[in-house]
Amino acid sequence: MTGKDVPRLEEARDGIPPGTRINITFLAGEDLGMRLAAARAVKRLGFVPVPHVSARRLPSRSALEEFLSGLAADGTAENVFVVGGDPARPEGPYEDSLALLRTGLLRRHGVRHIGISGYPEGHPAIAGPVLWSALTDKAAAIAAEGFGGDVITQFGFDVEPVLTWLEAVRARGVHLPVRIGVPGPAGVRRLLGYATRFGVATSASVARKYGFSLTNLMGTTGPDRFLHALAHRYDPARHGRVKVHFYTFGGLRTTAEWVARFRQAGQL
């Protein structure tokens, strides 16, 4: 969710299991008050807030301390997700999320569990070797500091690169639980817009496997086929601990209702 989505979360609350982890983005145009209020709302409604901390959007060390202090005061600092962020140039002293991990400020403000990013299909602006170094370095830093942690991946439409990437992650000695990014039900045009923005493959063959057509953009699609394929081919011995993380492109309530129906059908 974003800082502006509190009313939408309240609408969706009855369809979301208590204790669900809900990530709160760190967007440009949203201020400290909005971010803290969103984390408080997630906690008040019975869920686990996971505020994002965007390294390159932080203008100063004091801004990071102010954010973490606010979370700690509200009792919402235990879980965070650290990410580099979209700006090509840092707005302050932090080049990437590893720099945040090395400040020592997270533990000082009560953080106990840290999420980091994973990119099974690569990143449009970061070379593959750099992504691998970043992942292994961050996983090592989390372990060295005694934090709990997990990896949340970009969303995708094809399980093949996801499973291949998972094996490579484990081969590199990273054994954190991985939450596979899954696009919740949404309009095809919207999904493709996000896919283009984040560099996710959307070839015709992948689209057909996922369940939509690139020639018909007016429909809506859900991740049924993707989840079935992932479950069918998942091997704990090769892929480690794996869960899913839903991106609510079609809305919080729409995603929650879809997941509930999928569960009731015995498919999740």
Side-chain angles (χ1 to χ4, degrees), residues 33 62 76 79 84 86 128 158 165 178 181 195 207 227 233-235 249 251:
S62 62
T76 56
N79 299 268
D86 292 335
D158 186 5
W165 177 84
V178 175
L227 289 173
R233 297 183 56 188
Y234 168 62
D235 178 358
F249 298 138

Side-chain angles (χ1 to χ4, degrees), residues 11 19 67 71 79 102 134 146 165 177 181 194 201 252 261 265:
E11 292 172 358
F67 184 37
L71 294 173
N79 299 268
R102 289 172 171 166
W165 177 84
Y194 280 108
L252 285 160
R261 289 193 300 270

Side-chain angles (χ1 to χ4, degrees), residues 2-242:
T2 72
K4 300 175 183 177
D5 282 337
V6 172
R8 296 177 180 87
L9 180 61
E10 291 173 337
E11 292 172 358
R13 63 181 298 185
D14 291 340
I16 304 175
T20 295
R21 299 169 66 83
I22 296 182
N23 284 42
I24 303 158
T25 57
F26 195 107
L27 298 180
E30 294 184 351
D31 60 21
L32 175 66
M34 292 179 66
R35 295 175 185 129
L36 294 177
R40 288 195 300 268
V42 171
K43 182 180 178 182
R44 171 174 56 83
L45 294 172
F47 311 119
V48 177
V50 185
H52 289 197
V53 187
S54 178
R56 288 192 289 274
R57 290 198 187 282
L58 290 164
S60 64
R61 180 182 173 92
S62 62
L64 173 59
E65 290 185 286
E66 185 179 20
F67 184 37
L68 294 174
S69 295
L71 294 173
D74 292 337
T76 56
E78 186 170 341
N79 299 268
V80 300
F81 178 80
V82 295
V83 64
D86 292 335
R89 294 184 178 180
E91 297 172 13
Y94 305 115
E95 174 69 28
D96 53 29
S97 51
L98 185 60
L100 297 179
L101 292 173
R102 289 172 171 166
T103 62
L105 293 174
L106 300 180
R107 179 170 297 284
R108 195 179 307 170
H109 289 86
V111 174
R112 295 293 177 265
H113 187 282
I114 297 174
I116 57 177
S117 300
Y119 299 93
E121 296 189 52
H123 189 288
I126 305 174
V130 177
L131 287 177
W132 282 118
S133 293
L135 178 63
T136 55
D137 288 348
K138 287 183 287 187
I142 288 171
E145 294 294 328
F147 289 109
D150 59 15
V151 181
I152 299 178
T153 77
Q154 71 189 148
F155 74 94
F157 302 118
D158 186 5
V159 299
E160 189 65 41
V162 170
L163 295 171
T164 300
W165 177 84
L166 278 170
E167 290 194 57
V169 167
R170 303 316 184 195
R172 284 171 168 81
V174 176
H175 299 293
L176 293 171
V178 175
R179 296 176 182 268
I180 301 301
V182 178
V188 172
R189 189 183 298 275
R190 173 173 288 189
L191 286 177
L192 292 178
Y194 280 108
T196 300
R197 176 181 172 188
F198 294 113
V200 176
T202 52
S203 68
S205 61
V206 169
R208 282 195 300 272
K209 274 198 285 186
Y210 191 78
F212 61 83
S213 168
L214 295 180
T215 59
N216 179 12
L217 305 182
M218 301 308 292
T220 297
T221 188
D224 311 57
R225 294 187 186 182
F226 181 92
L227 289 173
H228 283 306
L230 182 64
H232 178 70
R233 297 183 56 188
Y234 168 62
D235 178 358
R238 293 160 55 205
H239 304 129
R241 293 178 60 196
V242 173

